Structure formats: C-alpha cells, structure tokens
Amino acid sequence: MSISLYEKEQLFKLDTKNTSYVIGIVDEEKFLGHVYYGAKLKDHHAGYLMRVNENPFVPSKNNRDRVSFLDSFAMEYPAHGLGDYRESCISIRTMQGNVGLSLNYVSHKITEGKTSFRNLPSSFGSREDCSVLEILCEDKTTGLQAVLQYGVFEDVDVITRSVKVINEGEEPVYLTKVYSACLDMDNKDFEAISLHGSWARERQIQSVPVSHGKYSVESIRGESSHQDHPFMALKTKNATQETGEVYAMHFVYSGNFKVQVQADQFDQVRMVMGIHPTDFAWRLESKEEFQAPEVVMVYSDKGLGQMTRTFHDFYRKHLIRSEYKNKKRPILINNWEATYFDFNTDKLISIAKQASELGIEMLVMDDGWFGNRYDDNRALGDWFVNEEKLKGGLKYLVDEVNKLGMKFGIWFEPEMISPDSDLYREHPDWAIAIPGREASLCRNQYVLDLTRQKVRDYAYECVAKILRSANIEYVKWDMNRQLSDIGSAELPADRMGELYHRYVLAVYEMQERLIQEFPHLLLENCSGGGARFDPGMLYFSPQIWCSDDTDAIERLKIQEGTALIYPLSSMGAHVSDCPNHTVGRVTPFETRGYVALAGTFGYELDVTKIPEEDREMIPEQVAMYHKYNDLVREGDYYRIASYAENHYFDCYGVVSKDKKEALYTFVQVLNRPNYHSRRLQLKGLDPEKVYEIEGEEGTYTGEILMKAGINIQNPWGDFKGKLIHLTEV
Ligand code: GLA
C-alpha cells in the first residue's frame, strides 16, 4: 500500500520505493498543507513541520492575522485572492466579477491502478504499479470544487499530480488560471535547471541560482516550443550527476505552459507548473468539470543522473503506448534533405533501390507530394496526390517500394492551411485569425482552426484517406508554425480564452483517432524539428523528431538536453549529408552514425549521391544499429562528460538493466595538441562483475572501470568518435 492516511495526525503519506510525500490537514478550516517531499521516511510523524501548535497565525487561533498565515503556510494547492501573495495555482472570476477562493479539505478517495484521463494524454499503471489519491477540496462561498489527483508509482519513484475542477455552484464561473502542481519548500540554496533554444538548437541545458523574485520558463506559442520546455528541476547547489538533491517537474502537455520558481520573504520556495494563464479563460458552466493536464514529479537524492533514469523508466513504462515502444524501429531513409521539393516517383524509387541494397528498411516520403506543393509557399490543406510528381499514383510507388522489401512512410502537416490552396480559397474562415484583422503569416501559412469539429474532421479524413489508399506503415506528423492571431469564427466572445487549450485538445483527439484506426502505424511527431517534443506527444507517438539540425556536433548538445528527461528510444536521429545543411560543418560519416545511434537511427540524404566510401559504411552502421538498439532502447543512461560544458569532448553510456552489457559513446569534438590519451571513469557498471572490452585483450572488474577508469587514445583530428562496448565475461 503506497498511500497511507493517518487519521489521528490528519496526514497522508505517499510512498514510492525511495521517496515519500506528505500532505497534512490543519485547523478547523481544514487547510491542506504540504509537509514533506524527499527521501523515503519510515516514520510518518512529520505533521509538526506545519508548525500548527506554535504558529500564532493559524486562523482558528488568531483570525486577526489570517493573511499572515495564508502568505507563509506551505500550501498544497494555493488559491488566488485572499492573502497568499505568492504565485497561486488557481484563480477564478465569478459572474459578479469577483476573484478569490479558498480550497479546503472535504474528503478523499484511495484507489489502486491508474487509467489515463479521457481527453488528455496522461500516465497509466496497473494495480500492482500504482495507487491514486484524490483529495476533494471545496470553496464554500462559490461552491467550486477541486479534486487534487496524485498518482503514486511505487516501482519507478514517480508521483504525478493534477487537478480536476468542478463547478458545484449555481452559476457559471470563469477559470482564469488552473495550474496542475505546486511544491512549497524551504530554499536549499537551489539552482533551477531548464531547457532552452530556438529552431535547430532545441533543449540546451541552463542552470541559474534561485534567488528572491520569480523565475519562469514558459510558452505562449500554442505549442511547447523550440524556445522553452515544460520542465524545471531544482537542484541543490553543486549537485552533480551522482550527488545532491533534485526536485523535477515535467508537464504532460503540448500547448502553452508555465513553470515557475519563486523565493519569498521567508526564503521559502514555491514551484508551480500548469497551463499558461495568458489569454486563458475557461467558462465552466454549473456542474461542468475541467481536467488540467498532468505533471510528472521526480525527486532524486542521487543527483541528476538518477532523475534522468527515473524519467526514462517512467515514460517507457507508464506513458508511451505504441506497440513499437519495446521494439526496434525500421531503419528509415527520409528524402527531405536529399531532394527537398524536387522529386518524383523515379527519384524516390532510385533512392529506395540503393537504400534497400544497403540494409535500410523503410523509405519516408517527406513534404512535397501533394497538391501544388512545389515549394513551401503553397498547397497545405490540399492533401491529394500530385500525380505530376508521383506518376502512376501513390499506391504504385508504395507497392514498388514494398517489392524492394522496404516499408513506406509519409509526411503530413495536417494542422495547416496555405493562403494559396484550394482549401483556403473555399474556406478562408477555417484559419485561426482575429476577425477584421489580417492574420500574420509564418512560412507563408496559417493554422487551421481545429477547435471546429468540421475542420478537424476534414483534416483527419485527409490523412486517413491517404493511409487507407496504400500500405503506409509510418507517418511523420509535422507542425511548422506557432499560433498567433488567436481568434475563431465559431467560438463566442466569452469563450475565446479557451481557444489555445481547445486547439491542443483537438490535436490530441485527431491523433487518438489516428492510432485507433491504424493501431500498427508507427507515428513520429515533429514540429519544425523539435518544437513539440513533449510528454503529451509521446503518449501518441513513441518517437519525435528531435531537431532539424542533423549536424552530429550540434546534435551532441541537443540530444544531451533531450536525454536529460527523455528515453533515447524516443529521439528521432538521422545520419545526414555533409557539408551539413544547417551549419555547413563537415564531420566523418562514422561519427554521424555514432551520434544517430543514440536515437531512433535512420538516414536523411541522397544515398545515390554520397561519396562511395560513405555509402560503403552504411551496411556496417546498419549492423551496428541491429547489434546495439535493444541496449540503447531499454538500458539505463549515464552521462559521463558534456561537450556543452567542457567545449571539447562528449561521453555517455547505456548500461543494460542486468548490468551485463554496456555501450559508451565518446566523441572528441576538438583535438588538443600534445594530448595523447585521457582517462574516463565509466558509470553504471556492477563493481563485482568482470567485463571485457570488445576489440581489446584482457578483463576488468566493474570497480576498476568505474573508479580508475579506462584510457582512451585521443583520435587524430576533430569530430572523431568511438564506441566502447563491454560485456560481462
Ligand atoms: C519541418 C521538418 C522537416 C521537414 C520539413 C518539410 O521543418 O522538421 O524535417 O519535414 O518540415 O517542410
């Protein structure tokens, strides 16, 4: 039983294998307080931390200073407007225009097993893996209720949080803010880690000291974005990969978000996460419910490495659903960087022919196969096959590719509409726009107003019709611009503040429909590269395109940031041509292969045109993928050195759960004069086991390899990589 209620002390204790989380109920008014989150407690007597006995400001003792209580008490789910001046989690506006809310304990429910939410991606677990606590709170004045939801995943050390708001009042109410989780703690000299970037430079790790005031990471772009990521971790100062405490939150959501840490006047910190309140106002009718998305919380007292491995295990076990999640993905070749828009059936078949001879298993036809799509200025929305390019039609092409023994995959961008498209000429009101104002273009396209059922149905049918027409086994679902000019031709004025969230729900609904109708489809999400790489999308697709930057060296940083939270099995990574199309860098083909091996692995180049010596290496790389993918996909990830930090070399490893096998990747970015070799202390091995290193004489104990390390001869030149493969003797 991982959830206990201690009636006498009025405490709930949530336990996972290595962590505990304690919530208390205090005072006659039954405020819900946060007592503890951290290393596992055997003893539950932590209620004294709420300082109820010596707190002179508890309202029942001293209502004169209620505000002092509200503004300092460690709250489990703080509401806005009555005297807690820190960032609140929930805010409303009544029909009379009033704000202010106090959510106090009413009752609770404990159940075993967890199902996902009805219309939102969220975690799941069996009765053996997971227990759920729901605490019902109520605001007596308005009748508004909030059910605080906790999923306790004992096996993987994760606690999920969310909230369902129910309007039990007689009148509608506007929700102007609904966050999903809050963590009130004392400041342990925390540093906040977050992920930032831009197009082609996603998820770069940043760390800043937490100081007084508010520090937030947020997106109001309608998607989780290239620029910021719905993640924050507070780590104790000087915490490393192996040591120190870490409190992390990650949002299972693909739209506007905010995560914030605030240090207050008493050096307490409050960390909150949820849907971004900017331009958000949800009209909740009497008796209606609003389900907020889920937050995944991880606590580690063994540094960032442990946090990483916990997230990886959790997503692999409790969020990703695809039948591919524990399977090798077919090695694909995508024609985007090979041809851009300039291709036809013959060209694609010539790529497929050559690729199949080299062991590549799937051809993916990217952008440009439909309507009048000869460049990126037109035709989004016109999802009918361009038979000038694809002579003989799509089915003919797919059949020909299948005859070569290869699978076939296709690209879509179903959420978009080009002004120069038949669809737009027929339905200009289908684009998201503010009536009376010309909407801003981005890549010469608008976003479809998917909040409208008929628009959603049209977009879905376009995709489904194509998939029904031929043996298509993979879809790359792209989204190449962010939302702006928020307006819908159908939503009433007082519901316009629902558009951003309704848009995300619509995308989820479409993807759910897709995987229900095509359960064996391999879906890869994408957004101009990695702008919608988030746990929400992972619920629908087991892999997401990491970045449009395929340069092996840039990828080291992007993949380090991504792998900080996401399993390697989810990171779309390809070997591409050189000079690299984004940065113009030339790197060895071999190194490009090593770096792509840390993801789904595939190719993005014209295999008929690359240098002969590169082409000759492809069968070796294919064999390498088949040899290591089970380990890479299912193993434990260890970060050993970071090029982003040392500007010099990178090293990470994956160790099998039984510690019988390990693979370390070393990439020397820039060589240094007079350096002959370096010592690398390996991580994650069993100190008691004896290992051999492939290609070398001798055996070594795990202890020696981890404490003393191995010697790596410095390669001659820049951008050189090396794999170190260990097996137990
Ligand atoms: C986005 C994707 C690319 C490619 C192009 C096609 O940028 O990230 O991989 O599919 O769109 O337009």
Side-chain angles (χ1 to χ4, degrees), residues 23-42:
I23 305 162
I25 305 166
V26 294
D27 201 49
E28 287 155 15
E29 289 185 43
K30 296 186 183 293
F31 294 102
L32 211 54
H34 179 71
V35 181
Y36 175 81
Y37 186 29
K40 187 155 186 169
L41 298 174
K42 284 197 200 118

Side-chain angles (χ1 to χ4, degrees), residues 599-655:
T600 54
F601 198 76
Y603 292 87
E604 182 123 357
L605 38 72
D606 187 342
V607 72
T608 66
K609 286 193 182 152
I610 56 172
E612 188 55 37
E613 65 266 29
D614 290 354
R615 197 167 28 245
E616 275 171 10
M617 215 181 279
I618 292 180
E620 283 168 41
Q621 291 184 335
V622 165
M624 169 182 81
Y625 168 80
H626 287 298
K627 182 169 171 187
Y628 297 126
N629 183 256
D630 286 348
L631 173 61
V632 170
R633 219 181 45 239
E634 314 283 344
D636 287 333
Y637 175 85
Y638 290 85
R639 171 61 48 184
I640 294 175
S642 159
Y643 158 58
E645 278 174 22
N646 64 31
H647 309 299
Y648 172 25
F649 75 101
D650 209 60
C651 187
Y652 49 87
V654 185
V655 181

Side-chain angles (χ1 to χ4, degrees), residues 336 366-367 411 443 476 478 480 526 528-529 545 548 604:
W336 178 239
D366 210 278
D367 193 355
W411 177 97
R443 209 192 191 202
K476 176 174 169 189
D478 207 342
N480 275 318
C526 171
W545 184 229
D548 274 353
E604 182 123 357

Side-chain angles (χ1 to χ4, degrees), residues 535-577:
M537 301 320 281
L538 219 48
Y539 182 73
F540 301 97
S541 64
Q543 61 195 57
I544 305 173
W545 184 229
C546 220
S547 177
D548 274 353
D549 196 333
T550 51
D551 171 66
I553 303 306
E554 292 302 310
R555 274 288 180 131
L556 291 176
K557 292 187 276 184
I558 297 167
Q559 293 182 187
E560 178 185 0
T562 308
L564 184 69
I565 5 185
Y566 295 95
L568 305 188
S569 60
S570 66
M571 304 196 310
H574 298 165
V575 175
S576 66
D577 202 2

Side-chain angles (χ1 to χ4, degrees), residues 136-200:
L136 176 66
C137 300
E138 188 178 34
D139 176 60
K140 289 218 165 60
T141 309
T142 58
L144 197 84
Q145 294 187 340
V147 180
L148 309 191
Q149 303 158 314
Y150 300 82
V152 184
F153 291 83
E154 200 172 351
D155 59 335
V156 287
D157 280 327
V158 162
I159 292 177
T160 58
R161 278 194 67 174
S162 190
V163 61
K164 182 166 72 184
V165 183
I166 308 164
N167 182 4
E168 285 293 348
E170 297 302 319
E171 291 189 329
V173 66
Y174 293 96
L175 299 174
T176 50
K177 171 159 71 171
V178 189
Y179 289 160
S180 297
C182 174
L183 207 48
D184 272 1
M185 303 179 283
D186 277 9
N187 192 356
K188 301 184 190 174
D189 224 354
F190 282 127
E191 292 168 346
I193 297 188
S194 49
L195 301 170
H196 302 267
S198 71
W199 174 77

Side-chain angles (χ1 to χ4, degrees), residues 459-507:
Y460 176 79
E461 268 309 307
C462 288
V463 178
K465 222 186 252 166
I466 294 284
L467 297 190
R468 288 179 209 126
S469 74
N471 183 28
I472 298 171
E473 298 178 76
Y474 162 105
V475 164
K476 176 174 169 189
W477 179 305
D478 207 342
M479 195 253 194
N480 275 318
R481 69 154 290 177
Q482 304 178 327
L483 276 59
S484 68
D485 302 82
I486 289 305
S488 165
E490 228 165 59
L491 282 176
D494 68 344
R495 286 198 180 273
M496 216 55 97
E498 301 178 10
L499 196 143
Y500 272 122
H501 183 55
R502 282 184 184 275
Y503 181 84
V504 180
L505 294 179
V507 173

Side-chain angles (χ1 to χ4, degrees), residues 90-121:
I90 182 164
S91 188
I92 60 165
R93 199 176 65 247
T94 65
M95 297 312 273
Q96 292 72 41
N98 297 318
V99 298
L101 204 59
S102 180
L103 290 165
N104 297 37
Y105 174 85
V106 176
S107 64
H108 72 273
K109 200 164 91 183
I110 298 172
T111 48
E112 299 302 319
K114 180 175 185 300
T115 50
S116 303
F117 301 141
R118 192 178 47 77
N119 59 352
L120 275 170

